[in-house]
Amino acid sequence: MRRWLSYLLLCVSGGIIFQVAYIRFVFLEPTYQALGLTAQEYGGIMSVFGAVAAVMYFAGGWFADRFSPRALIVAALAITGVADLALTVSPGYVTTLLAHIAMAFAGMALYWPALVKAVGSFGPTEQQGRLFGFLEAIRGVTSTVISAVGVLLVGTLLAPTTGVLALIAIYGMLCLVLAALIWFTLRGRADRVPSGERSALSLRQLAAAARNKYTWLLGGSIMLMYCFYTTLGYFSPLLQHDFGVTAALVGVLGVVRSYVFQFVAGPVGGLAVDKLTRSTPRFLRLAFACATVCVALLLVLPATPALKWVAITLMFVLSFAVFASRGVYWASVTEARIPAEQRGGVIGLASGLAYLPDAFLPGLVAWWIGDPAAGIAPHGGYGMLFGFLTAAGALGLVLTSLTLWVQRRERAAGPRPSAAALT
């Protein structure tokens, strides 16, 4: 019972630890107002968070090789809990910046590599699919339930800024409680320092990955889809201010868009790849086509309350395409003809490329759309955002088509020898 309780707690922690760092996906405007920031200041901090997170992704392997998963997960939850609570005690630019740097370090360097190892230790190879499948499902359910409480606080019971601070405090306390529970329940392989297993990537592996065409084809395709994902939170002020959607409904729509689709669209994408397209790049090409049409229509859609349900429908279709893609796009690595000894380096370098938009796009989008409450004029507005996403979608169509062409040529050329055989 303790074993499965610890597994459940790990899954729940995955739905809690990143919520404050990405709270903008549901409560963008109330969050930066509650923290005493402008939209531009908050967007800049989000870009710093993204840049630190990208660097910490590569550092995570070093920690995972030297410390037990239990110690890393508990430390990450404790650091994140303290950072969350600090935001409610002393909001402001410096506190928010330092808290998000701490969250990036805790989440990417300590927590995520350790979580993958801990969850994997709960079963043999043939059970890994269901272990990680339930991890994603429980994460999505947890995020949805807690965010629904947030919608109740922000939209009805409390003033929006007060409700956001209360929600951040709830997340902080939950992180600290989960840290204590996991410390006392997680035992067995997840409590041992790994021996003989290396997660950290060497410079030689990264250099080999840089010469592999799939690093740039797959990493570039995922990066372009991630541009759509990381800007979804900026649809909330658009719906509220341009299409007349109420603040309470915006919160509900944000939860559905960001969390319900997380555990609904992902499995649909997986089934579509297995049963319909039988190719991840081919499915991604369809997803890019769908997403590009949605943002192109939003680019020309008149901003009037009479068309709010058209805008909401387009946002939902776009979100579904994005989350269906998120559920499958790393499957491209196993479909590609990448030698096993290069696969770790390709995944590592492609991941750094894939999540690069977090390092520049939040600040750029905040500059584009401006901040009416602070008297900051927009620089192109949502037209710039949707124009950028339309271009990103078109480039994504090109990259996925090129990936399919490369794969067809390689299949026609016959089996590819491994790098070991070549030497």
Side-chain angles (χ1 to χ4, degrees):
M1 184 177 292
R2 185 177 67 182
R3 178 170 176 264
W4 291 111
L5 175 61
S6 60
Y7 172 77
L8 178 62
L9 291 171
L10 287 174
C11 295
V12 170
S13 73
I16 298 294
I17 190 170
F18 296 111
Q19 292 309 305
V20 174
Y22 291 101
I23 197 171
R24 71 180 190 273
F25 283 96
V26 180
F27 305 111
L28 174 64
E29 196 169 298
T31 298
Y32 69 72
Q33 291 175 352
L35 297 174
L37 307 174
T38 65
Q40 285 64 37
E41 289 173 334
Y42 187 58
I45 289 173
M46 290 300 98
S47 292
V48 172
F49 169 84
V52 174
V55 174
M56 290 301 105
Y57 178 88
F58 292 102
W62 186 90
F63 288 99
D65 291 340
R66 288 162 176 80
F67 302 96
S68 73
R70 182 180 74 143
L72 292 174
I73 291 169
V74 169
L77 286 167
I79 292 171
T80 304
V82 171
D84 292 349
L85 294 176
L87 292 175
T88 65
V89 174
S90 178
Y93 183 85
V94 174
T95 302
T96 305
L97 177 62
L98 294 177
H100 280 80
I101 291 174
M103 287 184 231
F105 169 74
M108 304 307 173
L110 303 183
Y111 179 81
W112 189 251
L115 179 71
V116 171
K117 286 195 173 186
V119 170
S121 71
F122 279 85
T125 303
E126 58 270 17
Q127 293 182 8
Q128 295 299 298
R130 73 189 73 171
L131 287 171
F132 283 95
F134 278 108
L135 166 66
E136 193 64 22
I138 295 172
R139 285 180 65 201
V141 171
T142 302
S143 301
T144 302
V145 171
I146 304 299
S147 296
V149 174
V151 170
L152 189 64
L153 292 174
V154 175
T156 56
L157 297 183
L158 301 173
T161 54
T162 306
V164 165
L165 292 178
L167 181 60
I168 292 174
I170 290 172
Y171 281 127
M173 293 302 299
L174 285 174
C175 282
L176 295 177
V177 170
L178 284 167
L181 292 175
I182 290 173
W183 176 260
F184 288 110
T185 60
L186 192 60
R187 292 289 188 272
R189 290 177 58 190
D191 192 27
R192 302 191 197 115
V193 177
S195 59
E197 179 183 349
R198 287 188 55 81
S199 300
L201 296 174
S202 66
L203 292 177
R204 184 178 179 181
Q205 286 176 300
L206 292 176
R211 297 190 296 269
N212 192 306
K213 56 185 174 295
Y214 282 113
T215 299
W216 309 103
L217 288 172
L218 302 183
S221 299
I222 297 170
M223 179 189 70
L224 292 166
M225 185 58 74
Y226 197 76
C227 288
F228 288 92
Y229 172 74
T230 199
T231 54
L232 286 177
Y234 294 92
F235 283 68
S236 294
L238 170 71
L239 294 176
Q240 184 173 351
H241 297 301
D242 291 12
F243 288 94
V245 180
T246 64
L249 182 56
V250 164
V252 174
L253 296 175
V255 171
V256 175
R257 178 191 63 215
S258 300
Y259 301 123
V260 174
F261 283 171
Q262 180 181 6
F263 62 86
V264 173
V268 171
L271 289 173
V273 170
D274 290 343
K275 304 296 184 182
L276 299 177
T277 65
R278 302 189 183 278
S279 166
T280 302
R282 189 172 290 114
F283 176 79
L284 290 177
R285 186 168 62 176
L286 293 174
F288 271 119
C290 180
T292 304
V293 169
C294 288
V295 293
L297 290 174
L298 285 167
L299 179 63
V300 299
L301 187 70
T304 171
L307 296 175
K308 68 179 180 181
W309 288 109
V310 176
I312 291 171
T313 301
L314 289 172
M315 181 194 72
F316 276 168
V317 174
L318 170 63
S319 300
F320 194 90
V322 170
F323 279 96
S325 300
R326 274 172 57 85
V328 302
Y329 51 40
W330 285 113
S332 302
V333 175
T334 58
E335 294 178 14
R337 297 161 65 88
I338 303 172
E341 58 271 21
Q342 293 183 16
R343 196 165 294 167
V346 169
I347 293 173
L349 191 55
S351 297
L353 177 64
Y355 301 123
L356 191 60
D358 264 344
F360 70 89
L361 207 46
L364 186 59
V365 175
W367 184 72
W368 282 339
I369 67 176
D371 185 1
I376 299 174
H379 297 81
Y382 279 93
M384 287 294 296
L385 172 59
F386 294 137
F388 170 82
L389 291 177
T390 301
L395 186 55
L397 287 169
V398 172
L399 281 185
T400 49
S401 298
L402 183 58
T403 303
L404 287 169
W405 178 77
V406 169
Q407 289 180 343
R408 281 196 298 268
R409 286 195 62 185
E410 289 186 342
R411 282 195 295 268
R416 176 178 180 174
S418 67
L422 292 173
T423 57

